[in-house]
Amino acid sequence: MEADSLDLPPEPLPPSSDPLSNKFASLNDLAYELASLQDLSNRGSWRSILDKVARARSLSLLITPHDHLTYLAYNVLAFTKLRRFKEALTELETVDDFDSHHYQYETYPKIYPDRSGSMVPFSLRWLYALVPIKLGDRQEGLDRLYLLLDFVRGKMKEKEEAAASLEVWRKREVFVVNNIVTEHLKGKEHGVCLDLIKCLLARGNSDPHLLSKLGYIQMQIGDLEGAKGSFADVEKQKSLNDAELMNMVSRNKALMYLVEKDYVSAVREYDECIERDAMDAVAINNKAICLMYLRDLLDSIKVLESSLERVPTVALNETLVVNLCSMYELAYVNHSDIKRTLSNWISKVAPDDFDSSCTRI
């Protein structure tokens, strides 16, 4: 995790957008065996990450200050993914003030002769805000998210002359706002959410994910015309060469059909998504739901089962599995045996952080 230049999934940044990417030949040039940590995280091997961090610490393999911070960030992330939030908090408490001179490159001129600024990974700042929320202290977490948003916007002002770096911070601004909006949505604070997104749009950020989220919120409060307008703004940005954006447009159209209970048209839009990208888990899940509403329960089950067989690493999420198990319960008398078979298969292929209780056995 390179200092303040790495976002966590679900907001991955392509390597070319990293202003430091041309200075390093590989991830391992950024931190000790960083490529291995990144590979383990991509595979969901969070327990292995904990083991790797513990080994590196016990054998004193972490030489530089930023190595320690990088491994700390992965350790906190692993604990968080495994829902071991108190241990994640304990790790975070080992860090002094993020803005302390201890975490500035220029404090160590012999180690970092050509670098300045903070070496704290952006992901660590985000986890610092996330963990209190996971522990039930919503207000503390929200306060920290708003402070993080102020931090990001401060960096954007500093980077106004550096286009590549500014783009990284623009993405982070959207990422943090999305986090804040998600928390406010849990409390049904729709007005706050709308204000946050519209403020960001007014600042010139026309991120299609942001516009789509605005449309979703407008739908929730019954403003269907407003939602259509937001989705139309997303469609204006679509490109035939951008399958992800094309799918976003199709999923937005499908949502409008769902509201109108036109499930056949919604299925058609989701089919187009799956044809463009067989790993579009949202389209797969929502197509199955539409088929269920059309009383085609067996085909609905087939859609979800085939996705698990084709792309288990993508389709295997708790929401999809919960829906599949609900369909089993509606379709089969012996649903307990079927769900047990599914649970056994999941235990062999799922990442460490998968919540197996979603099979409801």
Side-chain angles (χ1 to χ4, degrees):
M1 290 188 179
E2 181 265 317
D4 277 342
S5 295
L6 177 119
D7 281 328
L8 294 167
E11 295 289 327
L13 300 179
S16 61
S17 70
D18 186 342
L20 299 175
S21 61
N22 61 344
K23 296 184 179 180
F24 304 98
S26 71
L27 284 174
N28 290 339
D29 291 336
L30 290 169
Y32 174 76
E33 292 191 357
L34 180 57
S36 174
L37 283 173
Q38 190 71 11
D39 178 60
L40 290 171
S41 67
N42 288 338
R43 291 191 279 119
S45 300
W46 305 110
R47 294 187 185 91
S48 297
I49 286 178
L50 294 179
D51 291 341
K52 184 175 180 64
V53 173
R55 178 179 178 275
R57 287 172 172 176
S58 65
L59 297 178
S60 301
L61 299 176
L62 308 178
I63 307 301
T64 64
H66 84 274
D67 280 343
H68 285 281
L69 282 172
T70 299
Y71 272 63
L72 175 68
Y74 272 97
N75 221 34
V76 175
L77 176 60
F79 279 132
T80 303
K81 286 286 188 178
L82 294 170
R83 293 175 286 281
R84 294 162 61 176
F85 304 121
K86 289 185 178 179
E87 289 163 282
L89 180 62
T90 300
E91 282 282 300
L92 284 168
E93 288 174 344
T94 64
V95 183
D96 197 0
D97 175 14
F98 285 148
D99 297 323
S100 166
H101 72 280
H102 295 298
Y103 309 129
Q104 299 291 320
Y105 285 114
E106 52 265 41
T107 303
Y108 313 94
K110 291 184 179 179
I111 303 175
Y112 311 107
D114 300 319
R115 303 197 63 178
S116 62
S118 174
M119 64 177 71
V120 177
F122 178 76
S123 52
L124 196 56
R125 296 178 185 272
W126 172 66
L127 287 164
Y128 177 73
L130 178 68
V131 170
I133 293 172
K134 297 296 184 181
L135 284 168
D137 193 346
R138 176 178 181 267
Q139 192 55 56
E140 177 65 23
L142 268 174
D143 289 345
R144 292 181 182 186
L145 281 172
Y146 276 105
L147 286 173
L148 181 58
L149 182 59
D150 289 342
F151 171 80
V152 169
R153 287 175 172 168
K155 288 292 182 182
M156 289 173 64
K157 289 181 180 178
E158 293 177 12
K159 308 290 184 180
E160 285 178 350
E161 302 302 320
S165 186
L166 179 61
E167 183 60 24
V168 171
W169 288 100
R170 279 185 179 276
K171 289 178 182 291
R172 289 179 178 163
E173 183 185 31
V174 173
F175 175 72
V176 176
V177 168
N178 267 315
N179 276 258
I180 295 172
V181 167
T182 297
E183 286 308 310
H184 284 300
L185 280 177
K186 291 176 184 176
K188 300 188 184 302
E189 298 158 347
H190 298 109
V192 178
C193 299
L194 292 174
D195 289 343
L196 280 164
I197 295 176
K198 288 178 179 178
C199 175
L200 203 53
L201 294 173
R203 290 162 58 89
N205 196 323
S206 58
D207 183 272
H209 296 87
L210 200 65
L211 285 165
S212 291
K213 179 157 271 189
L214 175 61
Y216 305 154
I217 297 169
Q218 289 166 323
M219 290 179 74
Q220 288 186 43
I221 62 175
D223 182 9
L224 298 186
E225 289 304 312
K228 287 179 182 178
S230 297
F231 292 156
D233 288 338
V234 175
E235 189 166 7
K236 290 174 186 176
Q237 300 185 37
K238 78 175 183 180
S239 164
L240 295 176
N241 298 322
D242 190 337
E244 182 184 355
L245 190 53
M246 292 281 287
N247 276 20
M248 185 184 299
V249 170
S250 292
R251 289 196 302 268
N252 291 343
K253 287 181 179 178
L255 278 178
M256 296 305 300
Y257 286 131
L258 276 170
V259 171
E260 298 165 358
K261 297 185 178 180
D262 183 356
Y263 303 122
V264 173
S265 296
V267 167
R268 184 178 63 247
E269 292 294 338
Y270 289 130
D271 277 334
E272 289 183 10
C273 291
I274 296 166
E275 186 177 340
R276 279 190 292 262
D277 179 7
M279 296 190 295
D280 189 331
V282 174
I284 292 166
N285 181 74
N286 289 2
K287 176 186 175 181
I289 297 295
C290 289
L291 290 172
M292 186 177 71
Y293 287 148
L294 289 167
R295 300 182 182 181
D296 192 352
L297 192 53
L298 293 181
D299 273 354
S300 181
I301 289 172
K302 286 179 184 177
V303 167
L304 297 185
E305 287 182 335
S306 64
S307 71
L308 288 174
E309 291 172 3
R310 288 194 331 270
V311 285
T313 54
V314 176
L316 192 57
N317 66 68
E318 287 87 346
T319 300
L320 189 148
V321 172
V322 165
N323 289 337
L324 179 57
C325 289
S326 297
M327 293 172 191
Y328 284 153
E329 291 165 6
L330 291 170
Y332 302 117
V333 174
N334 63 332
H335 57 77
S336 293
D337 294 336
I338 297 172
K339 290 194 295 181
R340 190 168 289 108
T341 300
L342 174 64
S343 182
N344 291 337
W345 176 79
I346 287 173
S347 67
K348 298 174 183 176
V349 300
D352 292 345
D353 56 316
F354 188 84
D355 185 1
S356 59
S357 68
C358 66
T359 57
R360 301 205 302 261
I361 295 176

